[in-house]
């Protein structure tokens, strides 16, 4: 888990540099992404559900992104887009397409459904956290 978290940290930093994030936020975005990936691994190990892991880790990333945005007076997307990178279901969409090419519709549809579930969980977590912060701001 430690090696994967370190790898996620450097992957998010690399992605943040490609996105041309301001240099002063790159390490923080990497830390948010690494924390999100560590929580993903812990939930996946404990619950055995990649969808629950994606949802809970994205909630953490969205919370950290909103708090960081307010502390550093930056847009939330600066931290959020880079931070959710490790949770994006790239492997399952790859497997889905690979099994379509291999003419295995059962496995292909399994991974397609998994991809849609993970994507929906990520979107729902971002929406929930954004809504909570908007409610707090109105008060």
């Amino acid at each position: 888990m430690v090696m994967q978290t370190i790898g996620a940290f450097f992957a998010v930093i690399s992605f943040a540099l490609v996105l041309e994030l301001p240099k002063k936020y790159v390490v923080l975005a990497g830390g948010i992404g690494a924390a999100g990936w560590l929580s993903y691994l812990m939930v996946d190990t404990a619950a055995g559900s990649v969808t629950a892991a994606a949802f809970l880790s994205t909630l953490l990333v969205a919370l950290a992104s909103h708090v960081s945005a307010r502390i550093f007076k930056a847009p939330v997307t600066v931290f959020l887009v880079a931070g959710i990178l490790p949770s994006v279901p790239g492997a399952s969409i790859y497997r889905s397409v690979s099994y379509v090419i291999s003419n295995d519709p059962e496995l292909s549809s399994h991974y397609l459904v998994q991809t849609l579930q993970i994507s929906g969980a990520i979107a729902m977590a971002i929406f929930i956290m954004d809504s909570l912060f908007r409610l707090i701001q109105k008060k």
Side-chain angles (χ1 to χ4, degrees), residues 70-125:
R70 273 130 186 101
I71 291 172
F72 295 104
K73 309 260 188 282
V76 175
T77 54
V78 167
F79 306 106
L80 186 63
V81 172
I84 65 169
L85 175 71
S87 301
V88 173
S92 54
I93 193 67
Y94 172 82
R95 288 184 186 116
S96 178
V97 172
S98 175
Y99 286 121
V100 165
I101 293 169
S102 301
N103 200 20
D104 191 343
E106 186 176 321
L107 281 174
S108 175
S109 52
H110 167 75
Y111 283 111
L112 178 61
V113 168
Q114 184 182 54
T115 300
L116 294 174
Q117 288 173 338
I118 294 169
S119 301
I122 290 170
M124 187 62 73

Side-chain angles (χ1 to χ4, degrees), residues 40 43-44 47-57 87 92 114 117-118 121:
Y40 178 93
V43 171
D44 186 32
S49 170
V50 292
T51 306
F55 179 74
L56 293 173
S57 68
S87 301
S92 54
Q114 184 182 54
Q117 288 173 338
I118 294 169

Side-chain angles (χ1 to χ4, degrees), residues 1-6 8-9 30-46 53 56-57 60-61 83 86-87:
M1 260 191 222
V2 173
M3 292 304 292
Q4 285 191 31
T5 304
I6 292 169
F9 176 76
I32 290 171
W37 184 245
L38 180 61
S39 68
Y40 178 93
L41 292 173
M42 290 169 53
V43 171
D44 186 32
T45 301
L56 293 173
S57 68
L60 174 72
V61 167
S87 301

